[in-house]
């Protein structure tokens, strides 16, 4: 007991205070959104819980099936990332919409920047999207969103609920701040006895309700070279979240590269559906698809695919620095198993088809229509438009928010700078543009290759800038 309290008498002194404190905290425990159900796998389930199994490092013939009759080349796992650079939500089944997986990168945190005289970039104050690439923002990895969608079968469902009018709720969880003294022990006991959760949380509407749209100003946010308009959700963001992302003491950041200069205000933005970012670089043209490729706050394309064998090859090469390199570091939407390492480098078009053993959607969540295939069961054609060029973001451990000084970036650059369009950066994974705007993907869906060929990654272009020979 001496490890917790200096003197046993303190326990009796603090007992009344503990009781009242716990009652106070219990009254503030979050309540599940009315009329909604949570999307995603439970905390004790994951389709990549065996991701380190060496069997995935070996490619298998695409015609092969396993003991359960499943295609050898298939979707292993699906992830959507509601908030840019924050933790993902793993799914068994995912609807694809024009911007990618539904709910994927529909939110981002942005910092208000006031340029100093003579500094590069925009001369006027502006909001700039922040990711785990920058300074203390590697803490974004520790922010866990939950997607709650309206459920007409719920006992408390009603069409007039705010949660229903906003098409659902996003609950955003983040670590509690550290306490000192008596409050530290009281909070520790309250968490231990389940009186309060270990994380703080707040909730935001998945979409601004039409009746309150004027309370969410549509504001330009700088996303690389684009400045799409997005809804400002500042009214929902608690000061404790801002303090968590940008602590006043830079030395307390989990990043070794924190700057001592003061940070600007940070808040949350939601994609304005009338201002999606149009995608042209490497993507098939509108005349070919019948629609314009768009995305929200994703880096460049609607979907991102990773081959588990390729990640295992990277992991084996940097095992001394990172003993267990998770595929989650690379933040893909679609993780596949079956092909040998880096087979995907040469894919130009693939097809993803429902398997008889794919995980089916629940009856209260009907699938989107497959507008591309004449037969919805035949699958959907997807263009693998270019390789994914890697920055240092995967150096951040998704479980701790701590950035490794070198890996896996150093290892990747030692042998994966292979793309003729950009030999300065390493490539891992593929960027995808579907040939249909709406369809459904499931874990277990079969993957087949329709066309292979060379890729030429084109660096991000300024408006009007051209690449010679392209």
């Amino acid at each position: 007991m001496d490890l917790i309290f200096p003197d046993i008498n303190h326990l009796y002194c603090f007992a009344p205070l503990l009781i009242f404190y716990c009652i106070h905290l219990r009254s503030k425990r979050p309540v599940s959104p009315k009329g909604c159900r949570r999307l995603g796998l439970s905390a004790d389930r994951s389709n990549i819980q065996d991701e380190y199994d060496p069997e995935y490092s070996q490619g298998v013939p695409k015609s092969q099936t396993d003991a359960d009759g499943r295609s050898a080349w298939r979707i292993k796992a699906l992830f959507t990332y509601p908030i840019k650079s924050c933790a993902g939500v793993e799914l068994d089944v995912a609807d694809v919409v024009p911007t990618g997986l539904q709910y994927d990168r529909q939110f981002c945190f942005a910092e208000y920047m006031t340029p100093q005289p003579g500094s590069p970039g925009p001369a006027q104050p502006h909001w700039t999207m922040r990711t785990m690439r920058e300074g203390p923002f590697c803490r974004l990895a520790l922010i866990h969103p939950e997607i709650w969608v309206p459920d007409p079968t719920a006992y408390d469902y009603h069409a007039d609920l705010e949660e229903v009018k906003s098409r659902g709720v996003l609950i955003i969880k983040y670590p509690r701040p550290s306490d000192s003294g008596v409050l530290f022990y009281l909070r520790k006991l309250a968490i231990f006895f389940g009186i309060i959760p270990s994380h703080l949380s707040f909730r935001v509407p998945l979409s601004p309700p039409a009746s309150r749209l004027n309370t969410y100003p549509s504001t330009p946010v700088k996303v690389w070279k684009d400045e799409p308009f997005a809804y400002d959700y500042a009214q929902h963001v608690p000061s404790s979240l801002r303090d968590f992302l940008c602590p006043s003491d830079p030395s307390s950041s989990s990043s070794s590269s924190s700057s001592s200069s003061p940070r600007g205000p940070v808040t949350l933005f939601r994609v304005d559906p009338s201002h999606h970012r149009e995608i042209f670089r490497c993507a098939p043209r509108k005349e070919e698809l019948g629609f314009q490729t768009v995305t929200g706050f994703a880096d460049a394309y609607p979907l991102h695919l990773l081959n588990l064998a390729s990640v295992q090859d990277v992991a084996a090469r940097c095992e001394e620095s990172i003993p267990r390199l998770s595929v989650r570091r690379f933040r893909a939407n679609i993780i596949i198993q079956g092909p040998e390492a880096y087979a995907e480098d040469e894919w130009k078009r693939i097809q993803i088809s429902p398997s008889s053993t794919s995980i089916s959607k629940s009856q209260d969540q009907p699938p989107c229509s497959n507008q591309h295939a004449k037969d919805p069961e035949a699958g959907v054609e997807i263009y693998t438009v270019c390789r994914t060029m890697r920055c240092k973001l995967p150096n951040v451990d998704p479980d701790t928010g701590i950035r490794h000084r070198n890996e896996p970036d150093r290892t990747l650059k030692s042998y994966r700078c292979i793309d003729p369009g950009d030999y300065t950066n390493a490539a891992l994974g593929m960027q995808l543009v579907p040939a249909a705007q709406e369809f459904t993907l499931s874990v277990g869906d079969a993957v087949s290759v329709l066309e292979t060929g060379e890729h030429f990654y084109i660096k991000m272009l300024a408006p009007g800038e051209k690449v010679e020979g392209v």
Side-chain angles (χ1 to χ4, degrees), residues 137-448:
F137 290 99
C138 53
R139 289 167 173 254
L140 288 167
L142 304 180
I143 295 178
H144 290 260
E146 290 182 358
I147 304 169
W148 291 76
V149 296
D151 180 6
T153 67
Y155 76 93
D156 53 355
Y157 175 88
H158 195 282
D160 290 334
L161 289 171
E162 285 298 312
E163 293 86 344
V164 175
K165 292 180 179 179
S166 63
R167 302 178 187 176
V169 172
L170 193 70
I171 295 181
I172 302 170
K173 298 182 177 181
Y174 55 102
R176 290 182 177 274
S178 299
D179 296 311
S180 59
V182 175
L183 189 59
F184 170 81
Y185 298 110
L186 293 177
R187 192 184 300 276
K188 190 174 181 180
L189 284 171
I191 293 173
F192 177 79
F193 287 110
I195 298 170
I196 60 170
S198 59
H199 287 65
L200 295 174
S201 67
F202 65 103
R203 62 179 65 186
V204 302
L206 276 179
S207 298
S211 60
R212 295 176 51 205
L213 195 59
N214 61 345
T215 67
Y216 298 93
S218 192
T219 306
V221 177
K222 185 171 176 55
V223 180
W224 313 134
K225 291 184 179 293
D226 299 330
E227 288 193 69
F229 281 78
Y231 293 121
D232 187 343
Y233 268 43
Q235 61 182 288
H236 298 292
V237 182
S239 59
S240 58
L241 187 278
R242 296 186 179 94
D243 293 340
F244 168 74
L245 284 178
C246 297
S248 56
D249 178 11
S251 65
S252 67
S253 169
S254 54
S255 169
S256 60
S257 59
S258 297
S259 170
S260 59
S261 59
R263 311 289 328 190
V266 175
T267 194
L268 183 69
F269 284 89
R270 196 243 188 261
V271 166
D272 183 338
S274 61
H275 291 274
H276 286 146
R277 295 158 56 219
E278 296 185 337
I279 304 301
F280 300 98
R281 174 169 53 94
C282 298
R285 296 293 182 246
K286 179 179 180 179
E287 295 75 19
E288 182 178 359
L289 291 177
F291 58 88
Q292 176 58 52
T293 302
V294 296
T295 192
F297 288 132
D299 277 353
Y301 296 94
L303 295 171
H304 178 204
L305 175 146
L306 271 180
N307 178 4
L308 194 53
S310 303
V311 176
Q312 285 208 349
D313 183 73
V314 178
R317 294 168 186 260
C318 59
E319 189 174 12
E320 288 189 10
S321 299
I322 305 177
R324 294 169 73 85
L325 182 77
S326 175
V327 67
R328 292 184 296 117
R329 285 180 180 254
F330 300 96
R331 304 179 63 77
N333 300 119
I334 304 170
I335 299 170
I336 63 169
Q337 68 176 82
E340 65 182 6
Y342 311 118
E344 67 277 11
D345 279 343
E346 310 304 324
W347 295 352
K348 298 290 286 187
R349 288 185 301 122
I350 62 174
Q351 181 168 293
I352 297 182
S353 308
S355 168
S356 59
T357 54
S358 296
I359 297 175
S360 301
K361 295 176 72 70
S362 58
Q363 293 181 354
D364 61 342
Q365 190 183 4
C368 292
S369 61
N370 184 334
Q371 299 177 353
H372 181 68
K374 294 180 180 179
D375 178 3
E377 297 301 315
V380 64
E381 180 181 324
I382 298 177
Y383 291 84
T384 51
V385 296
C386 67
R387 300 182 180 103
T388 304
M389 311 313 290
R390 290 297 174 181
C391 63
K392 293 184 179 181
L393 187 147
N395 286 21
V396 179
D397 186 328
D399 295 319
T400 65
I402 296 174
R403 189 193 313 277
H404 193 281
R405 184 181 297 274
N406 300 310
E407 298 293 2
D409 179 68
R410 180 171 62 186
T411 292
L412 281 166
K413 285 185 176 177
S414 71
Y415 77 111
R416 288 293 298 171
C417 294
I418 61 168
D419 196 294
D422 185 3
Y423 281 128
T424 62
N425 289 300
L428 182 68
M430 302 300 292
Q431 298 292 328
L432 311 181
V433 172
Q437 289 185 291
E438 295 185 345
F439 55 98
T440 301
L441 295 174
S442 299
V443 169
D445 281 356
V447 178
S448 56

